[in-house]
């Protein structure tokens, strides 16, 4: 028995894999194994001796069983480690990243283009006074042009700005000409919302003041702007219009980028899309800002930023920009 014990422990300890171990288990613990043989041999002993021997043999059997179990686990662990192939060079699983909102994307492009043309980008306030939003821009208190911009008034003097144009005067009050700035920001109108109107939307105000500035300069700047934004030459036309703070006033249209001017649903079959209000700065506005009105000339414009996003990304419902619908936003 001692001999078997020594031999078994040695062999189990050095088993290299599960097949070897299984063969050993049969050799020692199998039905016809060494332990079974030992048990057979005790049948000739006296009762007393047999009981004692039997006990010892069974104890050794249990000991060996435990030893097999332990070794089996050891081998299992090392074998499964070997079989599991980990490719340490494989790229990790990509986590879903957030990204910029289409309105932010378009705004960054607009800012970059105007900066490349020498314009500074200026921040501004969404709350305005009646004075800057209207009076300084040549809309007196009783002027009918105020009707064009249904206003959210906070009290007699304060309002949510209806346009970014008040920053023309605000900027000129603090800076001397010549100057080139754009002022992007949110504006508010008491308007019902539909596919092309919202009560909150974004404008980009632009202002260039220098000596000998003409409509030609304006055309050159916005042609270059559209060319860079859309990545191709875009036809424009200037339609005469009216704004109290520009003279003359016009509205630049661009040829519809959806149908290249052939006429479609988006341009209502006209081939053109209204993009902005613009004009030559009215002498009244220079006076409001404290500039000598006939010494300087300038042009000003106000783009609808959401409309630019619609054109650039071919979005046919402006309200999508405000819904926060992930199915829409994930496409950018
Ligand atoms: N502020 C005008 C509007 O919201 C747009 C506009 C027209 C801006 C003419 C300008 C401009 O700077 O010169 O309807």
């Amino acid at each position: 028995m001692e001999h078997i014990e020594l031999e078994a422990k040695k062999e189990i300890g050095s088993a290299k894999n599960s097949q070897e171990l299984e063969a050993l288990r049969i050799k020692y613990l199998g039905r016809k194994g060494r332990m079974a043989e030992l048990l057979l041999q005790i049948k000739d002993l006296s009762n007393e001796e047999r009981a004692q021997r039997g006990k010892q043999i069974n104890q050794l059997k249990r000991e060996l069983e435990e030893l097999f179990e332990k070794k089996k686990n050891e081998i299992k662990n090392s074998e499964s480690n070997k079989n599991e192939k980990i490719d340490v060079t494989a790229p990790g699983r990509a986590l879903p990243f957030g990204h910029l909102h289409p309105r932010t994307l378009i705004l960054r492009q607009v800012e970059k283009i105007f900066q490349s043309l020498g314009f500074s980008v200026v921040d501004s306030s969404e709350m305005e006074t009646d004075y800057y939003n209207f009076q300084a821009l040549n809309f007196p208190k009783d002027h009918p042009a105020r009707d064009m911009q249904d206003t959210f008034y906070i009290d007699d003097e304060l309002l949510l700005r209806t346009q970014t144009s008040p920053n023309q005067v605000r900027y000129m009050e603090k800076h001397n000409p010549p100057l080139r700035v754009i002022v992007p920001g949110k504006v508010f109108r008491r308007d019902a919302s539909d596919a092309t109107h919202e009560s909150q939307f974004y404008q980009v105000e632009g202002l260039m003041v220098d000596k000998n500035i003409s409509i030609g300069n304006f055309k050159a700047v916005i042609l270059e702007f559209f060319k860079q934004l859309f990545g191709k030459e875009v036809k424009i036309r200037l339609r005469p219009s009216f704004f109290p703070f520009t003279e003359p006033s016009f509205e630049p249209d661009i040829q519809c980028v959806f149908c290249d001017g052939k006429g479609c649903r988006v341009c209502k079959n006209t081939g053109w899309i209204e993009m902005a209000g613009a004009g030559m700065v009215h002498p009244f506005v220079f006076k409001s800002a404290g500039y000598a009105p006939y010494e300087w000339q300038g042009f000003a414009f106000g783009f609808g930023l959401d409309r630019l996003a619609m054109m650039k990304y071919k979005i046919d419902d402006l309200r999508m920009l405000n819904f926060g619908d992930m199915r829409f936003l994930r496409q950018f």
Side-chain angles (χ1 to χ4, degrees):
M1 190 176 127
E2 275 160 25
H3 178 69
I4 292 177
E5 180 177 352
L6 277 177
E7 198 184 78
K9 287 183 176 171
K10 200 174 119 207
E11 283 193 318
I12 295 168
S14 55
K16 283 187 209 66
N17 54 47
S18 39
Q19 288 99 313
E20 262 183 52
L21 189 69
E22 178 60 11
L24 288 173
R25 193 188 63 78
I26 292 166
K27 176 174 171 186
Y28 290 101
L29 298 176
R31 226 159 18 94
K32 292 179 186 160
R34 307 291 293 274
M35 295 308 288
E37 267 171 32
L38 270 184
L39 274 173
L40 278 179
Q41 285 167 17
I42 63 174
K43 67 174 190 298
D44 300 329
L45 298 174
S46 70
N47 279 353
E48 216 172 289
E49 271 182 326
R50 187 157 14 119
Q52 207 196 345
R53 266 295 189 209
K55 228 163 132 190
Q56 287 172 342
I57 293 170
N58 279 328
Q59 204 192 324
L60 177 61
K61 222 175 125 182
R62 275 198 299 277
E63 217 179 295
L64 291 183
E65 278 165 0
E66 270 170 37
L67 219 58
F68 272 111
E69 201 52 36
K70 223 171 110 194
K71 187 70 183 177
K72 201 166 119 187
N73 285 334
E74 259 176 55
I75 288 176
K76 203 167 88 192
N77 285 342
S78 76
E79 281 181 350
S80 72
N81 283 349
K82 245 185 276 159
N83 290 340
E84 193 180 359
K85 293 200 178 70
I86 298 176
D87 179 358
V88 293
T89 67
R93 207 176 302 142
L95 292 172
F97 265 116
H99 61 75
L100 295 176
H101 189 279
R103 189 186 276 120
T104 310
L105 291 174
I106 196 92
L107 180 57
R108 299 229 171 143
Q109 292 173 58
V110 169
E111 289 176 350
K112 212 169 137 204
I113 297 170
F114 277 109
Q115 280 170 330
S116 79
L117 296 172
F119 285 73
S120 314
V121 181
V122 175
D123 202 4
S124 58
S125 162
E126 290 173 1
M127 185 122 87
E128 253 315 344
T129 59
D130 187 275
Y131 173 76
Y132 282 105
N133 196 84
F134 288 127
Q135 292 166 59
L137 293 172
N138 202 18
F139 295 77
K141 286 255 178 193
D142 54 1
H143 197 286
R146 286 194 180 212
D147 292 349
M148 283 160 48
Q149 302 181 5
D150 284 328
T151 310
F152 290 111
Y153 284 96
I154 290 162
D155 58 31
D156 278 354
E157 268 313 303
L158 280 181
L159 46 83
L160 296 179
R161 65 177 175 195
T162 60
Q163 50 186 354
T164 43
S165 305
N167 297 292
Q168 293 185 24
V169 174
R170 283 191 179 277
Y171 190 83
M172 286 191 284
E173 280 179 344
K174 296 211 184 80
H175 299 85
N176 291 323
L179 57 89
R180 276 179 250 185
V181 286
I182 59 164
V183 190
K186 198 199 273 189
V187 301
F188 307 82
R189 305 252 173 117
R190 218 151 32 78
D191 257 346
S193 89
D194 63 31
T196 51
H197 294 87
E198 279 275 53
S199 54
Q200 302 185 21
F201 54 100
Y202 285 74
Q203 288 186 334
V204 180
E205 192 74 16
L207 177 68
M208 175 168 183
V209 178
D210 206 329
K211 305 248 163 168
N212 300 319
I213 293 287
S214 73
I215 296 177
N217 298 103
F218 171 74
K219 262 186 90 171
V221 166
I222 64 157
L223 274 173
E224 180 59 25
F225 167 69
F226 284 128
K227 187 175 148 190
Q228 287 196 36
L229 187 70
F230 292 109
K232 61 176 187 188
E233 302 276 349
V234 177
K235 281 214 183 104
I236 63 158
R237 69 176 185 188
L238 304 185
R239 240 178 332 99
S241 184
F242 173 80
F243 301 99
F245 46 96
T246 43
E247 183 59 38
S249 303
F250 37 85
E251 291 179 46
D253 295 343
I254 63 166
Q255 200 168 62
C256 179
V257 295
F258 287 87
C259 64
D260 287 327
K262 289 186 204 77
C264 67
R265 197 172 57 88
V266 177
C267 60
K268 300 197 182 91
N269 282 316
T270 62
W272 296 94
I273 289 175
E274 184 188 321
M275 292 306 283
M280 302 305 292
V281 180
H282 196 295
F284 183 97
V285 176
F286 282 141
K287 259 189 249 164
S288 297
Y291 284 12
Y294 295 99
E295 221 172 282
W296 300 97
Q297 298 84 46
F299 63 76
F301 58 83
F303 281 109
L305 185 70
D306 300 340
R307 198 146 293 171
L308 284 178
M310 281 177 90
M311 288 295 117
K312 169 92 191 189
Y313 300 125
K314 308 206 160 162
I315 303 165
D316 59 7
D317 190 334
L318 197 85
R319 291 168 293 186
M320 292 310 292
L321 292 171
N322 297 334
F323 281 164
D325 183 335
M326 292 306 289
R327 291 168 305 178
F328 168 75
L329 295 174
R330 278 204 194 96
Q331 298 175 59
F332 294 91

